[in-house]
Amino acid sequence: MNPIDIIQEKLRENPLKNVSLLKMLSSFHSSMTTHLIEEDDNWGILLLLPAAAYSYDHRTYPEADYIVFMDYSSPKLFPALFGLLPYPSHLVFKLQDEQYMLALANHFDLHKARVFFSYTTTEAAQFLRDEQAVRSDVPDERLIPLWAGNHYTWEEMGDYFREGAFSLSIFEAGVPVSTCLAFKNEEQIWEIGAVYTIESARGKGYARSVVSSALQEVLEQGNLPRYHVLETNLPSIRLAESIGLVRCVTLGHWTNYKQSFTNR
């Protein structure tokens, strides 16, 4: 088994916790520097992605050199992983465990950039499939203005649909007023994202309808849903919690430098 396969096997022991690491490893393994340390029964993983390799990171953290991901089975491995960090460099740490941040804070003056909450379903959960919600397994050009509202490009959407994504949308007189996207994130984990309702149609429960419909379809396909939201997006958080989703991971972005500006 090659090192990448071993790293994926370790991370998949807790796939929801490590979905960001798994997704980036799957998409950018050829650009990444990967480190695996094994000591007795313990292991540690460090992934270094050049910030310019991923458009979101390049846009959001233009001054960064590397995006850093890590996971370990024991804090005993942290010093060895820390010693592998490139120095001096502008680093963005994407950390799915608060203990990792606390360990790094002993060595860096860390600056909080943003925090995301991940939600998933409870066991045996069921959701209402709204017949108004129209499913499309190909990109629908009518949805471009709504996707743009969440900063998705037509090219990005094309990539998602080529990997099997589908959209669920509600229309009024043939005009889309609310939509969301369900796409494969990592193996059996499917993300519900790109949720957007035009301003004139808000407050009618449309977002709840498309998200609930997408969740039910993902579950019926035998996959595990993930709903990922910025901590400051209170309407989206209320939506997730109102339909019965539960928070499973808090992913923090921390920099070891002060950004000259923050693109939120």
Side-chain angles (χ1 to χ4, degrees):
M1 186 179 292
N2 68 49
I4 297 295
D5 291 337
I6 296 173
I7 290 172
Q8 288 178 323
E9 183 179 79
K10 301 293 187 187
L11 295 175
R12 284 173 179 151
E13 292 176 8
N14 194 336
L16 275 171
K17 174 190 174 187
N18 292 318
V19 65
S20 294
L21 288 76
L22 287 162
K23 180 180 179 181
M24 292 296 102
L25 185 60
S26 175
S27 300
F28 299 102
H29 62 272
S30 61
S31 303
M32 264 186 179
T33 301
T34 60
H35 296 283
L36 171 65
I37 298 174
E38 295 183 279
E39 184 179 295
D40 299 325
D41 293 328
N42 296 315
W43 52 265
I45 292 165
L46 183 73
L47 307 178
L48 302 172
L49 178 67
Y54 181 33
S55 60
Y56 171 84
D57 290 327
H58 188 53
R59 180 176 68 247
T60 308
Y61 302 110
E63 300 167 72
D65 298 309
Y66 293 96
I67 310 300
V68 182
F69 304 87
M70 65 170 56
D71 192 28
Y72 46 79
S73 62
S74 168
K76 294 178 181 179
L77 276 295
F78 174 79
L81 295 176
F82 179 81
L84 295 170
L85 291 173
Y87 182 83
S89 295
H90 281 184
L91 305 175
V92 178
F93 298 93
K94 296 187 179 181
L95 305 173
Q96 73 282 25
D97 189 316
E98 185 182 19
Q99 294 305 311
Y100 301 171
M101 181 275 291
L102 294 175
L104 286 162
N106 291 324
H107 304 273
F108 293 114
D109 182 17
L110 292 180
H111 304 274
K112 177 181 170 182
R114 51 188 45 76
V115 173
F116 293 89
F117 298 150
S118 283
Y119 290 82
T120 191
T121 55
T122 57
E123 193 172 345
Q126 294 287 315
F127 297 88
L128 179 65
R129 175 64 168 90
D130 191 336
E131 294 304 318
Q132 288 188 91
V134 178
R135 173 170 172 157
S136 178
D137 296 301
V138 296
D140 187 333
E141 292 187 2
R142 294 175 296 175
L143 298 175
I144 292 177
L146 281 70
W147 291 334
N150 274 331
H151 309 292
Y152 287 93
T153 67
W154 178 249
E155 291 75 18
E156 287 175 314
M157 287 300 178
D159 290 339
Y160 285 133
F161 278 97
R162 279 189 287 275
E163 294 294 321
F166 61 89
S167 62
L168 281 158
S169 309
I170 292 177
F171 295 80
E172 289 183 348
V175 177
V177 296
S178 186
T179 192
C180 74
L181 186 75
F183 59 93
K184 183 179 179 180
N185 209 313
E186 154 47 36
E187 281 205 333
Q188 298 300 306
I189 300 176
W190 276 60
E191 185 155 331
I192 311 300
V195 182
Y196 193 83
T197 302
I198 64 172
E199 189 171 354
S200 62
R202 291 174 187 171
K204 299 181 179 181
Y206 288 159
R208 181 187 183 94
S209 293
V210 295
V211 170
S212 294
S213 299
L215 287 167
Q216 185 58 28
E217 297 218 10
V218 168
L219 289 171
E220 289 177 0
Q221 292 175 354
N223 295 312
L224 183 62
R226 177 192 187 224
Y227 187 90
H228 196 53
V229 58
L230 191 65
E231 68 168 347
T232 55
N233 190 344
L234 298 182
S236 191
I237 290 172
R238 285 194 291 267
L239 169 62
E241 295 179 351
S242 71
I243 60 179
L245 296 180
V246 293
R247 193 191 304 179
C248 56
V249 180
T250 298
L251 179 72
H253 292 195
W254 302 82
T255 67
N256 69 339
Y257 63 95
K258 288 186 177 181
Q259 299 179 85
S260 58
F261 66 91
T262 302
N263 178 13
R264 293 187 183 274

